[in-house]
């Protein structure tokens, strides 16, 4: 085997990780030493991501965008698998009703974004831009709500159906959404902090000695170092669950390809795109199996360590944030400047106002954590939701992080009708108006579910 620099497959991942690591350390120095950066509440990973984005765009640093996209994809899954493997305390156990309502909230936000996008595209198509693809506005929830993957898929589909540059338009909106999540989200974090509505945890006041034995070592856990290091066990658990996730998705995709080839492409794309949800569900099942083995005395020790699993998820999310921001490519925008700017601004504003109202109603006691996590996810991706949440809830003490995960799981079911509407909207100009009406009806149904289901039970309690 060639171990020299000529073997790019051997060295490229290490070089890219080294670049990311160096920029994280540099951004951390900026944040600690430059008052403006420190007061801005700009997360270190976000700052490092934008520095790498600027250097890459200017040709000053050779960043591999394929590797960055790959790292974002895998780090997202690993981060949530690590979170799902943690042993929940009694007070932090998930409420299935809140999880389902979080899913309804996510999909209802998609619908609000779809209404805003379609209204803009329809108005422009009948006024200033008669050649504009009237259904193009429905790309807004795909880009803001679901991220670059779905924006790319739906944009490519619309491009094949007559929308010139559909793929580039979707990807550009997705990049704008990510910037909206990071920049606008951080600005409002700062505003709410100054108003005293939120309090940011001062992690700089903590020292290494603040991690006590009680924090690090729960009862009946495996020792810190025996024949295998405790951290190695946590990494092994995460890697094993991720492998099982891959095998499950591969198996389902292969089975569908054999029995229903027409359906296989759509479902397989959805499964691979939501691999982090599959991984998290398997991690939860795996954790319950371990709990059963301990309760039945077939296993005496607890192998998960919540502190180390949190650190693994923190590392994964930091890498994901840097790589996700640095892989944005604004050159994908080809024309469509007016609808792009209108949708980008209107999408960010409408999402902010809608979620601000809804999260106040749905998440009493942690409305700001719920709002910032949802706003970050529903303008960018789950990674941007996590980065905003970590600024005010760094240890995920509130249910907000879990709501992102369980809500996304329920959101798959709630969002299924939206996929049908997307395909219908591209068929004709008349269907665009029909779809717009159906979106209003479905939004009303979801709001009815959010505000009415479980209300009597809550009143009795």
């Amino acid at each position: 085997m060639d171990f020299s620099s000529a073997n790019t497959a051997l060295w490229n991942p290490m070089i890219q990780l080294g670049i990311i690591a160096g920029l994280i350390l540099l951004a951390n120095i900026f944040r600690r030493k430059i008052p403006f950066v420190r007061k801005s509440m700009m997360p270190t990973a976000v700052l490092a991501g934008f520095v790498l984005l600027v250097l890459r765009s200017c040709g000053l640093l050779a960043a591999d965008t394929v590797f960055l996209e790959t790292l974002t994809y895998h780090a997202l899954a690993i981060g949530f698998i690590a979170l799902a493997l943690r042993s929940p305390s009694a007070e932090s156990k998930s409420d299935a009703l809140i999880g389902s309502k979080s899913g309804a909230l996510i999909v209802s936000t998609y619908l609000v974004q779809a209404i805003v996008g379609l209204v803009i595209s329809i108005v422009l198509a009948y006024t200033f831009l008669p050649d504009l693809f009237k259904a193009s506005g429905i790309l807004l929830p795909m880009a803001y709500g679901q991220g670059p993957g779905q924006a790319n898929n739906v944009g490519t589909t619309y491009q094949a159906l007559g929308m010139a540059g559909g793929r580039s338009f979707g990807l550009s909106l997705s990049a704008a959404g990510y910037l909206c999540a990071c920049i606008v989200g951080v600005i409002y974090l700062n505003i709410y902090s100054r108003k005293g509505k939120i309090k940011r945890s001062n992690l700089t006041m903590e020292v290494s000695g603040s991690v006590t034995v009680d924090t690090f070592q729960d009862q009946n856990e495996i020792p810190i170092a025996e024949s295998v290091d405790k951290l190695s066990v946590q990494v092994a658990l995460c890697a094993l669950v991720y492998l099982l996730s891959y095998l499950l998705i591969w198996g389902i995709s292969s089975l569908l390809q054999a029995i229903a080839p027409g359906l296989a492409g759509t479902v397989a794309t959805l499964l691979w795109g939501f691999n982090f949800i599959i991984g998290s569900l398997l991690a939860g099942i795996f954790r319950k199996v371990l709990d059963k083995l301990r309760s039945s005395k077939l296993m005496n020790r607890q192998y998960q360590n919540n502190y180390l699993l949190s650190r693994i998820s923190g590392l994964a999310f930091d890498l994901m944030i840097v790589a996700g921001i640095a892989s944005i490519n604004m050159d994908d925008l080809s024309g469509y400047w007016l609808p792009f700017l209108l949708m980008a601004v209107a999408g960010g504003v409408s999402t902010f106002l809608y979620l601000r109202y809804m999260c106040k109603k749905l998440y009493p006691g942690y409305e700001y954590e719920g709002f910032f996590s949802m706003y970050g996810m529903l303008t960018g991706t789950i990674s941007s939701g996590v980065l905003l949440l970590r600024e005010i809830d760094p240890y995920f003490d509130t249910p907000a992080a879990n709501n992102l995960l369980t809500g996304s799981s329920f959101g798959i079911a709630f969002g299924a009708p939206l996929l049908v509407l997307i395909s219908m909207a591209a068929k004709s100009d008349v269907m665009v108006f029909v779809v717009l009406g159906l979106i209003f009806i479905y939004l009303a149904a979801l709001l009815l579910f959010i505000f009415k289901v479980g209300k009597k039970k809550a009143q009795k309690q």
Side-chain angles (χ1 to χ4, degrees):
M1 181 177 181
D2 181 11
F3 296 106
S4 71
S5 60
N7 190 344
T8 56
L10 173 65
W11 283 106
N12 185 60
M14 296 298 103
I15 292 171
Q16 299 299 318
L17 287 174
I19 291 172
I20 292 173
L23 289 175
I24 288 176
L25 295 175
L26 180 63
N28 190 54
I29 293 173
F30 287 163
R31 178 165 174 158
R32 291 179 63 86
K33 301 299 182 182
I34 301 176
F36 171 76
V37 177
R38 185 170 63 249
K39 292 178 181 179
S40 70
M41 296 183 70
M42 177 72 73
T44 298
V46 174
L47 181 58
F50 279 116
V51 171
L52 182 53
L53 174 62
V54 171
L55 294 176
R56 180 182 67 82
S57 300
C58 296
L60 300 176
L61 200 58
D64 185 345
T65 54
V66 174
F67 175 82
L68 294 175
E69 292 169 2
T70 302
L71 181 60
T72 304
Y73 177 79
H74 290 306
L76 174 64
I78 292 171
F80 273 104
I81 286 173
L83 284 180
L85 281 172
R86 297 187 307 174
S87 297
S89 58
E91 62 272 14
S92 66
K93 289 183 179 178
S94 174
D95 186 340
L97 181 60
I98 289 296
S100 61
K101 288 191 174 186
S102 295
L105 174 62
I106 290 170
V107 176
S108 69
T109 307
Y110 295 165
L111 298 177
V112 170
Q113 293 169 341
I115 291 170
V116 170
L118 283 174
V119 168
I120 290 173
S121 62
I122 290 172
V123 170
L124 289 178
Y126 283 103
T127 54
F128 303 105
L129 300 173
D131 294 330
L132 181 65
F133 196 70
K134 294 180 180 64
S136 60
I138 213 166
L139 285 171
L140 180 60
M142 296 297 100
Y144 271 40
Q146 296 201 358
Q150 287 294 82
N152 176 77
N153 293 343
V154 177
T156 301
T157 301
Y158 275 19
Q159 186 168 304
L161 294 173
M163 181 183 177
R167 177 180 177 275
S168 296
F169 184 70
L171 288 173
S172 299
L173 273 178
S174 178
Y178 213 150
L179 292 173
C180 181
C182 296
I183 296 174
V184 177
V186 170
I187 288 174
Y188 275 96
L189 273 172
N190 201 23
I191 291 174
Y192 284 139
S193 178
R194 289 179 179 177
K195 289 182 177 180
K197 293 183 178 181
I198 59 175
K199 183 178 180 181
R200 186 182 171 206
S201 298
N202 189 1
L203 298 180
T204 59
M205 296 300 294
E206 297 182 5
V207 295
S208 59
S210 63
V211 180
T212 64
V213 173
D214 292 334
T215 302
F216 188 79
Q217 184 80 16
D218 290 338
Q219 188 177 8
N220 295 326
E221 276 195 11
I222 59 174
I224 294 176
E226 200 174 43
S227 59
V228 61
D229 191 87
K230 194 170 189 174
L231 177 60
S232 300
V233 174
Q234 312 310 308
V235 173
L237 291 174
C238 294
L240 176 60
V241 171
Y242 200 22
L243 173 62
L244 294 175
S245 305
Y246 168 82
L247 294 175
L248 178 61
I249 298 173
W250 173 79
I252 295 174
S253 302
S254 300
L255 180 62
L256 286 174
Q257 186 63 42
I259 62 176
L263 182 65
T266 303
V267 175
T269 300
L270 186 65
L271 290 174
W272 290 114
F274 287 95
N275 71 319
F276 66 94
I277 296 178
I278 304 296
S280 300
L281 292 175
L282 285 180
I285 295 172
F286 190 77
R287 174 172 51 79
K288 290 184 180 296
V289 169
L290 294 180
D291 291 341
K292 285 291 184 180
L293 290 175
R294 283 197 302 274
S295 63
S296 62
K297 306 301 181 182
L298 295 175
M299 187 172 69
N300 297 322
R301 290 175 170 176
Q302 177 177 312
Y303 283 85
Q304 313 103 288
N305 177 268
N306 287 357
Y307 177 78
L308 290 178
L309 286 171
S310 296
R311 301 288 62 75
I312 292 172
S313 67
L315 170 63
F317 288 143
D318 281 336
L319 292 174
M320 173 186 58
I321 290 164
V322 176
I325 294 175
S327 62
I328 292 174
N329 190 359
M330 294 303 294
D331 290 337
D332 286 325
L333 183 59
S334 177
Y336 297 104
W337 280 107
L338 182 58
F340 168 75
L341 291 174
L342 289 175
M343 288 184 197
V345 174
V349 172
S350 60
T351 302
F352 182 94
L353 295 176
Y354 178 73
L355 288 175
R356 186 70 194 90
Y357 174 79
M358 293 296 293
C359 290
K360 184 177 182 180
K361 299 291 185 181
L362 189 56
Y363 303 129
Y366 60 101
E367 62 176 275
Y368 292 107
E369 290 84 354
F371 164 71
F372 280 108
S373 59
M374 285 292 178
Y375 179 75
M377 181 177 73
L378 291 168
T379 51
T381 60
I382 283 188
S383 63
S384 48
V386 170
L387 81 87
L388 292 178
L389 175 62
R390 288 180 66 189
E391 285 300 301
I392 54 177
D393 185 15
Y395 297 117
F396 307 114
D397 294 322
T398 68
N402 196 56
N403 289 342
L404 290 181
L405 180 60
T406 56
S408 296
S409 301
F410 282 102
I412 295 177
F414 284 119
L418 182 58
L419 297 178
V420 177
L421 295 177
I422 289 170
S423 62
M424 290 173 55
K427 291 183 177 180
S428 68
D429 292 349
V430 174
M431 287 305 299
V432 173
F433 290 96
V434 172
V435 166
L436 184 59
L438 291 174
I439 287 175
F440 273 107
I441 295 172
Y442 191 35
L443 176 60
L446 288 178
L447 291 176
L448 190 65
F449 171 78
I450 292 172
F451 288 118
K452 296 299 183 181
V453 172
K455 187 176 181 180
K456 293 182 178 179
K457 181 180 179 181
Q459 290 175 344
K460 291 179 180 180
Q461 293 176 345

